[in-house]
Amino acid sequence: MTATPTPAQLAARAEAREQVRADLRAKAVTAEEVTGAESLVRSLEEVGADTVFGIPGGAILPAYDPLMDSKRLRHVLVRHEQGGGHAASGYAHATGKVGVTMATSGPGATNLVTPLADAHMDSIPMVAITGQVAAGAIGTDAFQEADIVGITMPITKHSFLVTDPAEIPRTIAEAFHIASTGRPGPVLVDIAKSAMQMNTTFSWPQDLALPGYHPVTKPHAKQIREAAKLLATARRPVLYVGGGVVRAGASELLRKLVDLSGAPVVTTLMARGAVPDSHPQNLGMPGMHGTVPAVAALQKADLIFALGARFDDRVTGKLSSFAPRAAIIHADIDPAEIGKNRAVDVPIVGDLREVIGDLLPELAKEHEAVGRPDLEGWWRQVDGWRETYPLGFTETADGHLAPQHVIQRLGELAGPDAIYAGGVGQHQMWAAQFIRYEKPRTWINSGGLGTMGYSVPAAMGAKVGQPDAEVWAIDGDGCFQMTNQELATCTINDIPIKVAVINNSSLGMVRQWQTLFYNERYSNTDLHTGHGTARVPDFVKLAEAYGCEGIRVESPSEVDTAIKRAREIDDRPVVVDFTVSRDAMVWPMVAAGVSNDDIQYARGISPSWERED
């Protein structure tokens, strides 16, 4: 049951609404006669956008003419709409600002479905602007017509259809507000071509009218007090940190909570870097391919404090057996997530900056009243798991590189200030495991949807958003072949990303499952990109064809030299093709649908759990 808003919460909502009004008034400009297309470009400028990733086509073409004259908007011409969408996502990941992508109607718009679904799963603030056929032709199956609003409703926070040019400024203002407030997410704005061609009066809105959209940011004081009491008295607490902490910009406050509570902390795939890996209380990543200490701590905990996490299946394993003895505190900006998968003892709805900010003094009061909890026995058990089951890997038997070694050395040489964008599969898990993340927004990946082809365009977007950062795309040979055409975009637009292709000549994670669960029957997973076969394609030659530097690495002695060489090149993209063993597997592992108690440290090796106290 949702708690009645407190006076403080009501006051906070009123203050937030007034701040929105003040921001809009500050941006108010004199009304002027323009076309709908000019109004769109002007609206993007007024809302603070600085980059658009897109590709023109018939229905969106009117917008591209005034876009050419804009002094405040950079347009990056991508090679595929999916690349534009993932680039907008990578930009948003790296900067915290709203990413913008643009496409035409029909197939252009439907090519954005995957990036929109991806952003929706991972709570990425993004606005997608699509052209639509003329208003009079909507519903007639006109050339390149698709009901993109209907298609995307389940995978966006909101979808707009604009047929009146006078509504363009308000719609853009609302779209950016919705995308960036509450739980962030993608918003679609579909604009009829006729609306862009018509004349209108540009007038920036003085207020936003969004009935029913009032995200709760201020947590309920009673729930905060209850959480503080539980955290102050638990004997085996764990802080379960999700990507919501990064989205909220709450990492610094979280560090204070970690220090004050003394509790172990685990950071999910989407939260890597939210707490420095060097922090002594950080146990690493939980879940299917998490560390044994992180998985074990959650299973044995008597209290789990989830912050911006959603108890998804890749973390919980078999849900009925997840953390059976733990009380649950769940704090999230989205009330729909609380209690969705796991029953909650103390629900807290609010912005995590406010939640943690309010919790810190309450927890300090509890410590003064009852003393700090005695966690010595808990830490002794946790440290025992750390000592017995550290992350590691074995050398390969086939003479090819160990992919874990490649990624570990990349992280050590590029360092914690670099930004790493992962694809999906084995290389993604190894990048999450073997690179040490010290800062938020330095690890970018497709966590919820698991989108192959995400890495290269996301790295491109991150580099545009953070041009002074060193940006590495860590990709597999399968993922890389889905979106590598964006290397042309990078070369032409002076976006010098670096790509590490972890080339095992296979669909690696699929092959791992075939090894473990399908009797080593490797059906349709050989990609023929190396390993003594004809290289189809040859990634070095492909890189050179795109105007990039291409480097191949086949022996351990070449790894450091190649990474250092790639880091020295700043005038064009670099692709490093690392030929790695196809037999390497991601460990630890909890098989799908299996209890986390049955985690395997390596193939056929399961931890022997200590008896409960």
Side-chain angles (χ1 to χ4, degrees):
M1 183 179 293
T2 303
T4 302
T6 65
Q9 287 176 314
L10 292 172
R13 291 182 191 178
E15 182 180 350
R17 287 195 293 271
E18 182 54 39
Q19 183 60 51
V20 171
R21 294 189 188 101
D23 290 343
L24 291 168
R25 286 194 294 270
K27 294 177 180 177
V29 293
T30 304
E32 58 184 284
E33 291 296 321
V34 294
T35 65
E38 290 170 333
S39 179
L40 171 60
V41 173
R42 184 70 175 273
S43 297
L44 289 172
E45 292 174 339
E46 293 301 326
V47 87
D50 56 30
T51 305
V52 176
F53 300 92
I55 186 167
I60 196 66
L61 196 57
Y64 271 81
D65 187 63
L67 185 61
M68 189 175 185
D69 298 324
S70 176
K71 305 298 186 208
R72 293 158 61 182
L73 289 172
R74 176 188 185 186
H75 182 272
V76 177
L77 176 61
V78 297
R79 294 302 180 268
H80 192 284
E81 291 88 356
Q82 182 177 351
H86 292 324
S89 171
Y91 173 97
H93 262 284
T95 65
K97 298 190 292 186
V98 177
V100 185
T101 187
M102 190 178 288
T104 195
S105 64
T110 57
N111 279 341
L112 287 176
V113 168
T114 295
L116 287 169
D118 187 277
H120 190 250
M121 287 284 279
D122 288 345
S123 304
I124 306 301
M126 190 167 91
V127 170
I129 299 167
T130 53
Q132 183 55 275
V133 299
I138 292 175
T140 68
D141 290 334
F143 177 67
Q144 291 194 332
E145 181 189 359
D147 179 11
I148 195 63
V149 169
I151 290 168
T152 60
M153 274 188 178
I155 55 170
T156 56
K157 279 190 76 175
H158 194 71
S159 294
F160 294 92
L161 173 61
V162 181
T163 57
D164 181 353
E167 292 298 314
I168 290 174
R170 175 175 295 279
T171 303
I172 294 298
E174 290 177 354
F176 274 73
H177 177 69
I178 292 169
S180 60
T181 56
R183 180 178 181 173
V187 176
L188 176 88
V189 181
D190 193 33
I191 308 176
K193 184 175 184 178
S194 54
M196 288 185 272
Q197 292 173 319
M198 293 168 63
N199 289 327
T200 185
T201 300
F202 177 83
S203 179
W204 193 246
Q206 299 294 301
D207 196 2
L208 296 182
L210 293 167
Y213 183 71
H214 304 293
V216 174
T217 58
K218 185 69 175 175
H220 200 290
K222 178 178 179 294
Q223 305 301 88
I224 293 292
R225 289 194 296 270
E226 289 299 316
K229 289 177 182 177
L230 285 178
L231 192 54
T233 55
R235 293 182 60 202
R236 298 188 302 278
V238 176
L239 302 179
Y240 163 32
V241 175
V245 168
V246 179
R247 303 288 168 266
S251 296
E252 289 187 15
L253 283 169
L254 174 64
R255 172 68 181 268
K256 294 178 181 179
L257 178 61
V258 171
D259 292 339
L260 181 62
S261 69
V265 58
V266 300
T267 53
T268 67
L269 179 65
M270 297 305 298
R272 302 293 288 120
V275 177
D277 278 343
S278 59
H279 194 290
Q281 290 165 239
N282 191 347
L283 305 186
M285 185 173 70
M288 175 176 279
H289 293 296
T291 69
V292 170
V295 172
L298 287 172
Q299 287 300 98
K300 305 300 182 183
D302 64 0
L303 174 69
I304 293 175
F305 192 165
L307 296 127
R310 53 188 181 86
F311 292 91
D312 68 285
D313 61 301
R314 284 303 196 252
V315 168
T316 65
K318 185 179 179 182
L319 187 59
S320 61
S321 66
F322 175 71
R325 300 169 188 82
I328 304 293
I329 306 169
H330 193 175
D332 203 286
I333 189 73
D334 184 0
E337 286 294 346
I338 297 178
K340 183 177 78 175
N341 293 329
R342 172 66 184 256
V344 176
D345 297 279
V346 180
I348 304 174
V349 178
D351 186 295
L352 288 177
R353 286 174 299 182
E354 304 235 21
V355 170
I356 301 173
D358 289 357
L359 179 64
L360 288 169
E362 288 297 329
L363 183 57
K365 286 181 186 177
E366 288 296 322
H367 287 169
E368 290 178 7
V370 301
R372 295 181 69 90
D374 180 7
L375 303 180
E376 184 177 349
W378 179 224
W379 271 111
R380 188 163 49 248
Q381 188 175 27
V382 169
D383 286 338
W385 295 325
R386 280 172 151 175
E387 183 177 349
T388 307
Y389 304 107
L391 272 177
F393 59 92
T394 57
E395 293 301 323
T396 63
D398 59 8
H400 291 295
L401 293 168
Q404 302 95 325
H405 170 71
V406 170
I407 292 171
Q408 186 173 59
R409 289 303 295 151
L410 174 56
E412 290 168 351
L413 292 171
D417 292 328
I419 295 173
Y420 305 90
V424 169
Q426 288 180 314
H427 61 279
Q428 175 191 26
M429 295 298 103
W430 287 320
Q433 292 176 332
F434 289 98
I435 294 175
R436 294 178 65 81
Y437 299 96
E438 298 295 311
K439 302 175 182 180
R441 302 192 185 281
T442 55
W443 166 239
I444 298 171
N445 81 126
S446 171
L449 196 64
T451 304
M452 292 180 68
Y454 180 81
S455 177
V456 169
M460 177 174 71
K463 183 65 175 176
V464 170
Q466 300 286 5
D468 295 331
E470 181 176 333
V471 180
W472 280 87
I474 300 176
D475 222 353
D477 46 309
C479 289
F480 182 60
Q481 292 186 75
M482 294 189 174
T483 52
N484 62 40
Q485 67 268 30
E486 299 308 334
L487 289 174
T489 309
C490 292
T491 296
I492 292 169
N493 290 276
D494 298 319
I495 307 170
I497 65 168
K498 307 176 196 307
V499 183
V501 181
I502 309 302
N503 181 4
N504 60 6
S505 195
S506 301
L507 295 171
M509 187 62 83
V510 182
R511 190 177 194 276
Q512 175 167 334
W513 282 48
Q514 288 174 333
T515 300
L516 297 175
F517 308 122
Y518 292 91
N519 300 315
E520 300 183 8
R521 289 166 55 84
Y522 300 119
S523 173
N524 291 282
T525 47
D526 191 343
L527 295 179
H528 300 281
T529 54
H531 284 229
T533 67
R535 295 181 180 271
V536 183
D538 184 315
F539 291 138
V540 171
K541 292 180 179 178
L542 181 68
E544 292 170 349
Y546 277 129
C548 309
E549 181 76 11
I551 304 171
R552 177 165 294 122
V553 179
E554 296 181 292
S555 69
S557 62
E558 299 171 333
V559 170
D560 284 18
T561 302
I563 294 171
K564 290 175 182 176
R565 180 181 166 196
R567 297 190 66 215
E568 292 169 352
I569 298 172
D570 287 324
D571 61 345
R572 59 197 183 282
V574 182
V575 176
V576 188
D577 178 11
F578 293 98
T579 302
V580 303
S581 174
R582 62 174 41 168
D583 295 324
M585 295 194 200
V586 183
W587 299 105
M589 181 176 180
V590 180
V594 171
S595 170
N596 282 352
D597 288 328
D598 297 322
I599 185 173
Q600 290 193 34
Y601 180 55
R603 191 173 186 181
I605 301 175
S606 295
S608 176
W609 303 117
E610 297 177 13
R611 187 169 58 85
E612 289 294 320
D613 296 340

